[in-house]
């Protein structure tokens, strides 16, 4: 935002002054940004009314707006033919472009259809669809009529879907006949049929057609596209209060039972829009390529709401990084002329295994910024992303945030031309974010070169307001551990220079003879043979906990287990200390247990080592159960 934005604030002349201003005058900062960047039906009278210790968060009180108007109508007035969405269908080379005008039409028809079928303001609509324009229109149609949406990743089983429909108390589901991903057809409508058998509240299921294959329809089902054609292209937007619910979304479930986090209208939208613009240095006319599925918060904030609020052009990626081959992302970058690419470390580590040729084959000269999200990105993956994908020319922004935070909270900002970026570090807080590290006694760590529990010391507009139907769990999880602070559940290190690095989840911290070590610190080893690793703590008679490592090798690597273990131990003892060296290394692991959003589930690995799979807890978000079986069978291959 630099000088032009800074000019709006008294005595603020440059970027770092603006950062400081936004932290110490968060209310004035957000009030000005909200007036400037959102289109209001009624202005707010109170900027914020928050009490973090009680979990009471309200922003822009008294204001009214409509999120779909902010994402669509206002751009249709100025540039109706600008492309809003580029749908990168699973079948590569068959992308579909949707202009702002046609996305508004689609949204309005759908809004009218939902209204005709009795969906009212405050109702919750579950969306179980692949990433596609109709899914985005469904989200925006809910926003238009004041209903909340609950997007469920379309890879979840009937049982996981049913649980989320019930928990959300949703009476309406929107789906497609079949999904297509990685060349495979999935029976999404059939999955919904099974799920709703145990969801008595579901009255209706809208079914769009992703493929040409008809599916059996029941009395409850509505043929969506056919019925949309009967609707008017004008749909009166509901005037929503800033704090009305925009959506609920379940977390990835890496650490336990997923939480249905609730986000509201104005604060969320503003935060998504501002972070999208400044973290990625998004400029008008750029093509923004976030490859996350819309079933995750990254898809919500950076495929849909952030880019559309900014009048941007956003790519909707339906496929996988290796379909039809490991060059998919970069071929897409070339074909769609993508300027900002935003993906997950798990995909980067996977592609790195296939070698550089898949990247070099394609022209990536349009790329300006590369983003990473979801897990710590190890140095080797970071370097590869930067050097090979970005030709050493594009800044890599490692963005730390959570479903709970609504948008990016800590990350480098490439628009600061002279700002340093250290590989593998999330670096700096976003405007108004005040990260705070706590020691194990709950005392604030004030110096640099320290590690602790990452908290945020003051509220920001994008933060979640509650856990659906369970405000008590919200308070206990985020507000009670450190009263007056938002507790993130992650650990971080603040360097001598004051930069932040995420060290992993606090649940996963390993305590060896009194030394607390974050998983990311040990996992980030630069061993040429290793594609990916995960470490956990196990109970150890003398040390309290010992380190147990699981290692996935790169393709076609021939190594002797003992030699590799020696190499890994040397690296860990050099980088951290001897005490951090694994006692056990399980080398011949094909893959690690991950959530469907691609995050390593260390709690599952812990239970494998403890041989207590019954006590493993919620597994509904586990991507591929065979990964666990393989590891159990390989439990003997240790060194
Ligand atoms: P659950 O809360 O159900 O266990 P989850 O935490 O995986 O699931 P998300 O909200 O999707 O659900 O993920 C947020 C978490 O992902 C963060 O708390 C952090 O642990 C991790 N994370 C996200 N981005 C980064 C990053 N850039 N560096 C390190 N960790 C990250
Ligand atoms: Mg979490």
């Amino acid at each position: 935002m630099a000088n032009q934005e800074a000019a709006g604030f008294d005595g603020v002349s440059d970027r770092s002054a603006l950062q400081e201003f936004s932290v110490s005058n968060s209310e004035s900062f957000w009030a000005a940004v909200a007036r400037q960047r959102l289109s209001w039906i009624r202005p707010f009278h109170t900027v914020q009314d928050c009490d973090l210790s009680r979990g009471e968060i309200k922003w822009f009180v008294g204001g009214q707006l409509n999120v779909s108007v902010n994402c669509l109508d206002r751009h249709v007035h100025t540039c109706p033919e600008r492309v809003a969405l580029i749908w990168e269908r699973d079948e590569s080379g068959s992308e579909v472009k949707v202009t702002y005008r046609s996305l508004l039409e689609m949204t309005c028809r759908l809004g009218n259809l939902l209204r005709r079928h009795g969906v009212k303001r405050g109702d919750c609509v579950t969306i179980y669809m692949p990433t596609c324009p109709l899914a985005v229109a469904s989200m925006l149609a809910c926003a238009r009529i004041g209903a909340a949406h609950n997007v469920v990743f379309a890879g979840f089983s009937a049982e996981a879907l049913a649980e989320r429909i019930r928990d959300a108390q949703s009476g309406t589901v929107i789906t497609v006949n079949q999904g297509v991903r990685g060349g495979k057809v999935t029976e999404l409508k059939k999955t919904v049929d099974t799920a709703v058998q145990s969801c008595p509240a579901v009255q209706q299921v809208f079914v769009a057609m992703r493929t040409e294959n008809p599916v059996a329809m029941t009395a409850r089902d509505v043929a969506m596209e056919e019925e949309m054609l009967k609707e008017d292209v004008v749909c009166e937007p509901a005037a929503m209060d800033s704090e009305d619910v925009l959506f609920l979304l379940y977390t990835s479930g890496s650490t336990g039972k997923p939480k249905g986090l609730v986000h509201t209208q104005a604060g969320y939208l503003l935060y998504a829009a501002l972070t999208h613009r400044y973290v990625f240095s998004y400029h008008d006319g750029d093509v923004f390529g976030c490859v996350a599925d819309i079933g995750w918060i990254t898809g919500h904030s950076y495929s849909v709401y952030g880019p559309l609020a900014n009048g941007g052009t956003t790519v909707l990626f339906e496929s996988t990084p290796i379909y039809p081959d490991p060059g998919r992302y970069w071929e897409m970058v070339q074909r769609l002329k993508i300027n900002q690419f935003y993906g997950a470390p798990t995909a980067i580590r996977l592609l790195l295994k296939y070698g550089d040729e898949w990247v070099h084959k394609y022209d990536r000269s349009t790329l300006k910024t590369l983003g990473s999200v979801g897990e710590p990105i190890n140095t080797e993956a970071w370097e590869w992303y930067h050097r090979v994908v970005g030709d050493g020319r594009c800044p890599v922004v490692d963005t730390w945030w959570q479903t709970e935070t609504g948008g990016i909270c800590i990350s480098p900002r490439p628009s600061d031309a002279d700002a340093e970026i250290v590989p593998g570090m999330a670096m700096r807080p976003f405007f108004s974010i005040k990260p705070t590290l706590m020691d194990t006694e709950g005392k604030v760590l004030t110096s640099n070169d320290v590690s602790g529990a990452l908290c945020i010391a003051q509220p920001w507009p994008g933060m979640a307001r509650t856990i659906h139907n369970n405000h008590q769990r919200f308070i206990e999880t985020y507000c009670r551990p450190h009263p007056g602070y938002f507790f993130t559940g992650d650990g971080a290190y603040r360097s001598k220079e004051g930069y932040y690095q995420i060290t992993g989840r606090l649940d996963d911290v390993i305590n060896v003879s009194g030394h607390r070590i974050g998983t990311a610190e040990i996992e980030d080893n630069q061993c040429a043979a290793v594609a990916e690793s995960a470490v956990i703590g196990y109970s150890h008679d003398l040390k309290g906990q010992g380190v147990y490592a699981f290692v996935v090798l790169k393709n076609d690597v021939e190594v002797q287990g003992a030699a590799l273990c020696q190499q890994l131990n040397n690296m860990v003892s050099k980088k951290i200390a001897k005490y951090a060296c694994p006692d056990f290394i399980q080398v011949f692991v094909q893959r690690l247990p991950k959530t469907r959003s691609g995050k390593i589930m260390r709690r599952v690995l812990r239970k494998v080592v403890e041989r207590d799979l019954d006590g493993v807890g919620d597994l509904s978000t586990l991507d591929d159960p065979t990964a666990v079986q393989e590891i159990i069978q390989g439990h003997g291959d240790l060194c």
Side-chain angles (χ1 to χ4, degrees):
M1 120 154 55
N3 300 341
Q4 171 211 342
E5 284 285 328
F9 300 95
D10 277 352
V12 178
S13 56
D14 63 19
R15 182 53 164 286
S16 67
L18 183 58
Q19 178 68 30
E20 262 183 62
F21 178 86
S22 73
V23 173
S24 39
N25 299 276
S26 145
E27 271 196 38
S28 325
F29 174 82
W30 285 114
V33 179
R35 287 192 191 104
Q36 190 184 38
R37 289 176 187 265
L38 294 182
S39 164
W40 295 88
I41 297 170
R42 193 174 76 191
F44 50 91
H45 53 67
T46 304
V47 185
Q48 61 138 334
D49 180 9
C50 302
D51 180 349
L52 268 181
S53 56
R54 287 190 304 123
E56 297 294 334
I57 320 288
K58 293 195 191 87
W59 282 86
F60 311 120
V61 185
Q64 283 192 328
L65 78 174
N66 185 280
V67 165
S68 78
V69 169
N70 275 274
C71 289
L72 300 173
D73 305 54
R74 60 178 175 156
H75 310 311
V76 172
H77 292 315
T78 54
C79 46
E81 300 314 321
R82 181 183 292 172
V83 174
L85 310 176
I86 305 178
W87 180 24
E88 173 68 2
R89 287 156 35 99
D90 192 53
E91 305 85 348
S92 86
S94 68
E95 72 272 12
V96 174
K97 294 186 174 162
V98 182
T99 63
Y100 272 94
R101 186 206 299 273
S102 62
L103 184 57
L104 176 61
E105 278 187 21
M106 220 190 278
T107 301
C108 285
R109 286 180 193 273
L110 201 41
N112 288 330
L113 180 65
L114 292 173
R115 267 191 184 139
R116 178 153 64 85
H117 282 262
V119 178
K120 294 187 304 297
R121 190 182 167 121
D123 288 352
C124 178
V125 174
T126 294
I127 299 174
Y128 183 71
M129 295 171 104
T131 300
C132 63
L134 271 177
V136 174
S138 300
M139 294 163 77
L140 294 169
C142 289
R144 192 144 194 109
I145 65 170
H149 58 72
N150 166 36
V151 181
V152 178
F153 174 58
F156 276 130
S157 65
E159 208 177 309
L161 171 62
E163 200 185 316
R164 286 162 179 73
I165 294 174
R166 283 195 303 266
D167 190 74
Q169 296 151 303
S170 193
T172 302
V173 179
I174 308 181
T175 190
V176 295
N177 61 336
Q178 294 179 313
V180 189
R181 194 151 179 266
K184 292 194 199 84
V185 171
T186 46
E187 300 293 338
L188 297 187
K189 163 69 165 65
K190 281 195 187 145
T191 307
V192 172
D193 287 343
T194 312
V196 298
Q197 278 172 14
S198 59
C199 304
V202 172
Q203 303 287 326
Q204 49 196 349
V205 177
F206 293 88
V207 186
M209 298 294 282
R210 168 60 181 86
T211 66
E212 280 164 10
N213 306 326
V215 280
M217 300 285 273
T218 68
R220 187 179 46 214
D221 302 331
V222 181
M224 191 158 103
E225 288 108 324
E226 230 174 279
E227 291 299 311
M228 276 169 74
L229 286 177
K230 300 179 189 159
E231 298 294 338
D232 197 25
V233 294
V234 176
C235 173
E236 181 61 24
M240 303 302 290
D241 292 341
S242 295
E243 285 302 329
D244 282 334
V245 175
L246 178 61
F247 64 85
L248 50 136
L249 183 66
Y250 291 84
T251 55
S252 295
S254 307
T255 51
K257 190 174 158 57
K259 304 166 274 271
L261 289 156
V262 173
H263 283 282
T264 55
Q265 314 264 330
Y268 168 80
L269 186 68
L270 184 64
Y271 197 74
L274 207 71
T275 46
H276 170 252
R277 192 168 280 281
Y278 294 108
V279 169
F280 299 99
S281 210
Y282 184 85
H283 288 85
D284 290 345
D286 284 348
V287 176
F288 190 77
C290 168
V291 290
D293 193 279
I294 49 149
W296 315 120
I297 189 69
T298 306
H300 279 56
S301 301
Y302 300 110
S303 296
V304 181
Y305 287 114
L308 295 182
N310 287 329
T313 298
T314 178
V315 174
L316 302 176
F317 185 69
E318 191 185 33
S319 195
T320 79
I322 50 169
Y323 181 75
D325 59 48
R328 175 61 185 260
Y329 279 167
W330 325 121
E331 185 274 324
M332 171 180 79
V333 165
Q334 171 181 293
R335 182 164 33 83
L336 305 183
K337 301 191 169 36
I338 290 175
N339 301 112
Q340 290 87 10
F341 181 87
Y342 193 27
T346 180
I348 303 300
R349 291 193 294 260
L350 175 71
L351 296 178
L352 185 158
K353 287 207 297 181
Y354 288 96
D356 302 359
E357 307 79 64
W358 289 107
V359 187
H360 289 150
K361 258 174 100 166
Y362 302 103
D363 176 10
R364 288 151 285 110
S365 58
T366 51
L367 286 175
K368 295 193 278 191
T369 312
L370 299 171
S372 168
V373 62
E375 284 187 299
I377 179 163
N378 50 312
T379 313
E380 189 191 8
W382 193 101
E383 298 278 6
W384 187 81
Y385 202 23
H386 183 245
R387 183 176 49 78
V388 180
V389 176
D391 282 328
R393 142 189 95 65
C394 305
V396 172
V397 293
D398 175 13
T399 63
W400 174 85
W401 60 296
Q402 318 176 296
T403 310
E404 293 84 340
T405 68
I408 295 161
C409 286
I410 307 183
S411 102
R413 279 196 305 252
S415 48
D416 281 347
D418 52 352
E420 182 188 13
I421 302 180
V422 182
M425 276 202 162
M427 304 296 294
R428 302 177 191 83
F430 191 68
F431 292 118
S432 97
I433 298 292
K434 202 171 165 187
T436 306
L437 300 182
M438 303 283 180
D439 69 11
T440 44
E441 263 108 62
K443 283 208 221 54
V444 174
L445 293 160
T446 49
S447 58
N448 283 355
D449 194 17
V450 286
S451 293
L454 176 62
C455 296
I456 301 179
Q458 64 186 13
W460 65 102
M463 66 187 294
R465 305 302 196 246
T466 188
I467 291 177
H468 179 66
N469 253 343
N470 201 344
H471 195 59
Q472 201 49 37
R473 187 174 175 202
F474 182 83
I475 294 173
E476 270 153 29
T477 311
Y478 309 109
C479 307
R480 191 143 298 158
H482 298 283
Y485 295 82
F486 173 83
F487 173 64
T488 69
D490 287 335
Y493 165 70
R494 186 167 51 228
S495 73
K496 291 193 186 77
E497 300 79 16
Y499 301 147
Y500 289 88
Q501 177 169 35
I502 306 304
T503 50
R505 294 164 192 277
L506 291 169
D507 289 10
D508 295 332
V509 163
I510 306 173
N511 192 336
V512 186
S513 313
H515 302 284
R516 293 171 60 81
I517 321 163
T519 49
E521 301 173 74
I522 309 179
E523 288 162 8
D524 186 8
N525 58 73
Q526 279 179 294
C527 179
V530 173
E532 196 162 48
S533 58
V535 298
I536 55 144
Y538 71 98
S539 114
H540 187 287
D541 287 348
L542 295 176
K543 299 191 276 190
Q545 276 192 310
V547 178
Y548 192 116
F550 296 83
V551 171
V552 179
L553 296 180
K554 281 186 193 144
N555 286 357
D556 310 324
V557 171
E558 296 267 337
V559 279
Q560 297 293 320
L564 180 75
C565 292
Q566 185 63 47
Q567 213 179 337
L568 284 171
N569 277 328
N570 289 344
M571 279 181 178
V572 174
S573 78
K574 194 157 153 235
K575 200 177 122 219
I576 310 172
K578 203 153 175 35
Y579 62 75
C581 289
D583 302 288
F584 295 103
I585 303 182
Q586 191 166 332
V587 184
F588 299 103
V589 174
Q590 297 299 311
R591 58 204 132 165
L592 297 167
K594 292 191 177 168
T595 62
R596 283 164 201 268
S597 56
K599 294 157 191 268
I600 299 168
M601 289 172 98
R602 293 181 194 74
R603 69 180 156 104
V604 174
L605 292 172
R606 272 198 298 272
K607 291 295 169 186
V608 169
V609 170
E610 288 164 13
R611 300 192 177 272
D612 174 26
L613 272 184
D614 294 339
V616 72
D618 189 294
L619 281 183
S620 66
T621 65
L622 178 65
D623 186 25
D624 181 358
T626 55
V628 182
Q629 287 314 317
E630 282 166 8
I631 288 171
I632 294 173
Q633 276 150 22
H635 201 58
D637 307 333
L638 298 175
C639 59

